[in-house]
Structures are given as structure tokens and as C-alpha cells.
Amino acid sequence: RNVKRQTMCRNDINMLNAEFLAIYDLLIPLDEEKAKQKQLLTLLEKLVSKEWPDAQLHLYGSCANSFDFSKSDIDVCLVMEAANSDKSEVLLKLAGILQADNLQNVQALTRARVPIVKLMDPVTGISGDICMNNMLAVVNTKLLQDYVHIDVRLRQLAFIVKHWAKSRGVNETYQGTLSSYAYVLMCINFLQQRRPAILPCLQGMDFTYCLTIDNVECAYFDQVEKLCDFGSRNRESIAQLVWAFFHYWAYFHDYANDVISVRSGCTLSKRAKDWTKRIGNDRHLICIEDPFELSHDLGRVVDKYSIRVLREEFERAAEILQYDPNPCVKLFEPY
Ligand code: GTP
Ligand code: MG
């Protein structure tokens, strides 16, 4: 492997700030799209409460944590007691109710790893997935959303990284590359580790929020309005951060030994987590610890082929950012 460890960023890097911010602005959903999402959620709440008065619906995923692009689908979680044993039955019943109300493309995928009902609302044109009793996803969505409020550079960086990953075809978990959720965790951990830090480690502070779900304690400091100038001592621009993010993943991350941990605000060793060897399908070739489900490696989908694809893409991006006269064209070039 031809390793080029740049430690010095090109001196005209800041010429890219305006371009990155323009891309970010274009990707942000319009207020009217967010209003339509709300409208659809209200409709779903009405239909659900007729059948199950005690049930609740929560939005989760990117539509609820500010990492969604324009025209995204919504992810919804139906929460009700007692339904854990007969999830399939509830989802099939829900599918029937949605169909009867003229929602389109309704499909109950009861045998998927995470069983869901898919739907499309012809009035708003929005599609969505509804899963059941997945409160951990609702809470990790809140954690990401709370980090967003601390420093705007998180949302900007994650948009650029997600847009790059989607353009380059490396945001496909079924092909062994990483989920959007994994990329956002990589961005948060990266900003926690800048010096001075741009993000704190909320799970390392005295907690003001605590919820126990499936025996997992989810506790952290969530009064983020008190942290809104946390990152102000660090003046790095978005272009410098994008450059440094890709250089980190191309040349500096220790893939053999390290685990990215948002929970700790640093990296941990694979040995400490006992993630040193393959167990079943968990190969741990790139390790990203879930902030709450600590035994859960979001890199578990990556195999010996896709790790090469990923690392080559990180290196390609790093080289373009360092040497290309017009980096934005190449960086987001469809693969
Ligand atoms: P886009 O759909 O690409 O815009 O991104 P997204 O933020 O919706 O991400 P993604 O589809 O990867 O995941 C949706 C949500 O599911 C995340 O925000 C998490 O809350 C949750 N999630 C995804 N993957 C996992 C996982 O492996 N474990 C857990 N606990 N939650 C996950
Ligand atoms: Mg999603």
C-alpha cells in the first residue's frame, strides 16, 4: 500500500468553504417538506390511536435528527406494551388499516431482521417505514440530535460525508459498506477528538437524561443549550475539517487495533472490547461502537472485500482534497 501521510493541508483549502456550504444548503430539506412529514405523522397517529389507544408513534432516524436530505423517507416507530411476542400480527393488522385508508405501496415485511411496514402517502408524496418497539433507535436519534445543537459544523460535515458516501456507493449496508448512522457517529467522534475539541462527550458528563431500555441504561447530559459555545475555541473551517476527516480515515486510523467510541469521546482498543477475532459474521474490520448497545459494532457489515473498497474511497477522497485543482467535482463524482 502506497501510504501518503499528509500532515499539512494544502494552503488554499479555504477556497472550498463556499462550495461545501452551497452543497449543504442545497441538500437541506425545505420547511414545506418538514411540514408534510408532520402532516403524515399526524395522519398515522390518528389511524393508530383508533385501533390502539395506548400506542405511541415516534419519529426516528435522519428525519428526526437533522441529518436528512431533501426528499428523504421517514422512519417511524410504533410503541406499545405487550406486543413484543406478536409483532408480526400487529404489523399485519397495521398494514390492513393503512391500506383501508388509501395509503399506497403498503407492505408488511414481517420476516426482516427489523420487521417493518412500508408505505407511501399519495397526498404528501412521502414514503415511510414503521417498525415496532425499537426505543433504542428513538433514543440514539435523540443523542445525535442533541449533538447537532452544540456546533453547526457537525451537521455540515455529516452532510458532506453522507453526500460523498451516497455518490460513491459506500452507504449500502447490504453491500458491506456503512450506514448513514455509522457515518454520523464517525463525524461526532472526529469532532470530539479535535484539539481544541469541537464537541464534548455527553455520555461522560453528569447525566440529566436517563432511560433504561431492554436492560440498557441510556444516560447522558442533554441540556445542550448550555453548551452552545463549546466549540468556539476551535476555529477550523468546514473545508479544513472535511480534509482532516478524510485524511484521518485514509492514513491515520489504526484499523488493526482501534474502535471509534462516541460514548467515551475517544478511541478504545479492540482488545479491551474483545473485538479482536471474527465471531460468526462479526469481523470487526472497522470498528464503530454503538453509543448505547456497547456490544454492537456498526462496522459489523464490513467484510474483507468491502473494507478494501471503503479504504480506497477514503484514500481517493483524501488525495482529491489535497491535490485536485477543482476537488468538489471529483469528490462527489458518481462511481
Ligand atoms: P438516511 O436514511 O440515509 O438519511 O439516514 P438515517 O439517519 O435515517 O440512517 P439509517 O437509515 O442508517 O438509520 C436510521 C436509524 O436507525 C438511525 O438513526 C438509528 O437510530 C437506527 N439505526 C440504524 N442502524 C442501527 C443499528 O445498527 N443499531 C441501532 N441500534 N440503531 C440503528
Ligand atoms: Mg433513514
Side-chain angles (χ1 to χ4, degrees), residues 60-62 75 137 140-141 162 166 179-181 293 296 298:
Y60 73 99
S62 61
D75 295 306
N140 68 38
T141 295
K162 263 180 77 170
K166 288 181 193 288
S179 66
S180 297
Y181 177 56
E293 287 174 278
H296 192 34
L298 291 156

Side-chain angles (χ1 to χ4, degrees), residues 14-303:
N14 282 325
M15 68 169 182
L16 289 175
N17 279 324
E19 261 181 285
F20 283 144
L21 293 178
I23 292 170
Y24 167 73
D25 281 336
L26 275 177
L27 292 169
I28 290 180
L30 301 171
D31 289 347
E32 63 191 62
E33 287 180 58
K34 299 305 283 182
K36 282 183 179 172
Q37 290 182 352
K38 260 221 173 105
Q39 186 188 333
L40 175 55
L41 184 68
T42 307
L43 170 70
L44 296 173
E45 275 169 342
K46 197 186 83 192
L47 296 175
V48 162
S49 69
K50 233 188 255 170
E51 180 70 32
W52 299 285
D54 297 327
Q56 291 171 306
L57 285 183
H58 298 271
L59 279 183
Y60 73 99
S62 61
C63 61
N65 60 24
S66 325
F67 292 108
D68 57 333
F69 291 174
S70 184
K71 309 204 166 57
S72 294
D73 299 350
I74 62 170
D75 295 306
V76 184
C77 174
L78 170 62
V79 177
M80 64 169 84
E81 273 179 46
N84 265 326
S85 48
D86 45 15
K87 257 189 198 177
S88 306
E89 213 174 293
V90 173
L91 288 176
L92 286 169
K93 188 158 197 179
L94 176 64
I97 292 170
L98 299 177
Q99 245 156 359
D101 202 73
N102 287 327
L103 288 150
Q104 307 290 301
N105 307 348
V106 176
Q107 239 183 319
L109 307 179
T110 53
R111 288 192 200 161
R113 191 180 60 84
V114 180
I116 52 168
V117 176
K118 292 179 120 9
L119 63 100
M120 200 282 283
D121 173 27
V123 178
T124 57
I126 295 175
S127 299
D129 294 342
I130 306 179
C131 69
M132 272 198 66
N133 290 354
N134 191 2
M135 276 308 286
L136 275 168
V138 175
V139 174
N140 68 38
T141 295
K142 172 174 157 57
L143 178 71
L144 268 47
Q145 172 71 74
D146 285 331
Y147 272 112
V148 165
H149 283 135
I150 300 171
D151 197 291
V152 68
R153 288 170 289 184
L154 169 59
R155 193 172 180 219
Q156 294 167 343
L157 175 65
F159 266 56
I160 298 299
V161 170
K162 263 180 77 170
H163 181 45
W164 161 83
K166 288 181 193 288
S167 308
R168 301 301 301 164
V170 288
N171 180 208
E172 311 285 358
T173 46
Y174 66 93
Q175 288 178 350
T177 56
L178 299 169
S179 66
S180 297
Y181 177 56
Y183 282 113
V184 173
L185 292 173
M186 288 155 76
C187 291
I188 294 174
N189 187 253
F190 171 78
L191 297 177
Q192 287 174 324
Q193 300 206 62
R194 302 308 288 166
R195 290 295 170 262
I198 293 178
L199 292 179
C201 172
L202 294 176
Q203 290 169 275
M205 300 166 65
D206 289 341
F207 61 81
T208 51
Y209 173 88
C210 183
L211 198 62
T212 301
I213 302 158
D214 308 337
N215 296 321
V216 178
E217 183 180 87
C218 305
Y220 67 96
F221 182 80
D222 78 335
Q223 296 178 358
V224 285
E225 63 286 352
K226 296 186 178 150
L227 299 171
C228 60
D229 54 30
F230 180 91
S232 60
R233 281 201 307 134
N234 182 313
R235 307 293 296 265
E236 285 176 293
S237 67
I238 185 61
Q240 288 170 320
L241 292 170
V242 171
W243 183 95
F245 179 87
F246 283 110
H247 274 73
Y248 173 78
W249 285 100
Y251 308 123
F252 295 100
H253 179 69
D254 185 348
Y255 287 81
N257 298 302
D258 284 356
V259 177
I260 293 297
S261 172
V262 165
R263 167 185 61 114
S264 326
C266 57
T267 55
L268 305 174
S269 76
K270 286 194 195 180
R271 191 141 15 108
K273 298 225 31 129
D274 210 11
W275 281 357
T276 47
K277 54 187 176 298
R278 174 175 173 175
I279 296 180
N281 267 334
D282 282 17
R283 296 177 178 83
H284 304 303
L285 300 175
I286 174 172
C287 296
I288 302 152
E289 178 190 68
D290 187 88
F292 300 121
E293 287 174 278
L294 304 185
S295 62
H296 192 34
D297 177 5
L298 291 156
R300 73 195 180 289
V301 290
V302 177
D303 60 34

